[in-house]
Amino acid sequence: MKNSSNYIGEFEELVLLAIPSQGENAYGVTIRQALEDATNRSITVGSLYTTLSRLEDKGLVQSWVGEPTAERGGRAKKHYKLTGAAEVLLKEVQAARQRLMSAETIEGLG
Amino acid sequence: MTSDKDPESDLEALLEVRNPLLFFLRLPFVACDEIFRWLVDTASKSGARTNVSPLRPPFNAEYLLYLLLRREDRDIVIGDLLEGYGEVLRRFNKRRADIWFYWQVASSLFPLLRRALFRIGVLVWLGQVLRRIVS
């Protein structure tokens, strides 16, 4: 990742990975649930939405507003999906990790 | 409403006409029945009213979110919280659901405040830069 504008933090990466895992049903509640299940830590609504809005500003996430539902008190859901740029970025991050986690590095850890 | 008359009620009416004592004996039961129906109607009407807006989170907590969230995010975030609120309300009770909602809002305050302060900081910085350019 030579381009500094493509830099993403750990939590942003986790959020990017959680979105496609939910398919078409990726919205705040399901993304948060997926993150909590995967990381075993509590995720607040505030931190999730600030991250999602930052990812949207970076052009890594697309969103659209769905239909209002009764269980949400007549409020709509905001669905999310990854953009092409995010998919490329995640592959780059994955490749960088694999380069760093070479066999020698693992052996060096003892 | 049906136009067909119930033969049993016809018979009861005939018996009451012939025996006025039977009419007076039945009065308390009829009154109880009417009161019961009125209570059921009132309860179902109030139930219908609550069905319109069954999820009523704590006003102050919701207001805090209104203060800190962007206009386009308000309904989305509150809607997400209401899904969890409804679940806690079904499993426990209103008081515990309110506590859950307050806790969610309180734990979200730090990231939301940080973002709000960052924006204010950027605006102040831009204002200072503009003032320097103008002067």
Side-chain angles (χ1 to χ4, degrees):
Chain A
M1 290 194 298
K2 288 167 189 170
N3 189 353
S4 63
S5 67
N6 278 348
Y7 174 76
I8 52 166
E10 183 224 359
F11 188 61
E12 287 177 327
E13 188 186 341
L14 288 172
V15 172
L16 284 179
L17 289 168
I19 291 171
S21 75
Q22 298 306 306
E24 290 290 309
N25 196 33
Y27 71 103
V29 173
T30 55
I31 295 168
R32 189 175 161 210
Q33 191 63 53
L35 285 168
E36 285 184 341
D37 290 346
T39 61
N40 280 330
R41 68 186 198 204
S42 177
I43 309 290
T44 67
V45 177
S47 61
L48 177 64
Y49 273 96
T50 47
T51 305
L52 282 169
S53 112
R54 203 164 50 236
L55 290 171
E56 213 169 355
D57 292 343
K58 287 181 180 178
L60 298 171
V61 160
Q62 262 181 347
S63 70
W64 69 98
V65 176
E67 292 295 312
T69 58
E71 64 173 349
R72 297 167 61 85
R75 289 169 171 92
K77 291 175 185 172
K78 197 174 190 181
H79 295 270
Y80 293 91
K81 73 169 187 178
L82 297 190
T83 60
E87 287 168 12
V88 171
L89 183 64
L90 283 175
K91 281 175 189 163
E92 282 177 4
V93 170
Q94 179 72 11
R97 285 232 166 106
Q98 278 178 345
R99 281 195 295 274
L100 288 167
M101 295 284 280
S102 59
E104 292 83 15
T105 316
I106 298 295
E107 281 170 15
L109 290 173
Chain B
M1 290 284 287
T2 54
S3 58
D4 297 334
K5 285 185 178 176
D6 184 5
E8 266 186 47
S9 62
D10 277 354
L11 182 65
E12 283 174 7
L14 190 69
L15 284 171
E16 279 173 12
V17 170
R18 289 198 180 169
N19 190 353
L21 183 65
L22 199 63
F23 171 77
F24 287 108
L25 280 174
R26 272 193 60 171
L27 257 182
F29 296 101
V30 172
C32 282
D33 190 42
E34 285 304 313
I35 290 167
F36 179 73
R37 278 184 194 179
W38 177 79
L39 284 172
V40 168
D41 282 353
T42 312
S44 65
K45 277 175 191 167
S46 65
R49 269 201 300 277
T50 51
N51 281 341
V52 173
S53 180
L55 302 170
R56 191 67 228 154
F59 179 79
N60 290 327
E62 197 177 341
Y63 179 65
L64 262 179
L65 288 176
Y66 261 76
L67 283 178
L68 294 170
L69 287 167
R70 293 187 304 185
R71 184 178 293 197
E72 61 267 26
D73 285 343
R74 281 174 192 160
D75 273 358
I76 307 294
V77 175
I78 292 169
D80 278 4
L81 285 177
L82 281 179
E83 276 192 40
Y85 181 80
E87 197 184 321
V88 180
L89 191 65
R90 275 193 302 276
R91 290 180 67 176
F92 302 100
N93 57 28
K94 166 94 173 119
R95 199 168 69 90
R96 280 161 209 268
D98 284 353
I99 291 168
W100 180 89
F101 198 92
Y102 268 117
W103 177 250
Q104 295 298 315
V105 173
S107 57
S108 293
L109 279 182
F110 179 67
L112 293 173
L113 268 173
R114 193 175 53 188
R115 187 174 70 171
L117 289 173
F118 176 74
R119 283 191 180 158
I120 291 167
V122 168
L123 285 175
V124 169
W125 178 77
L126 278 175
Q128 283 176 344
V129 168
L130 277 173
R131 208 166 65 181
R132 277 181 197 167
I133 290 168
V134 169
S135 63

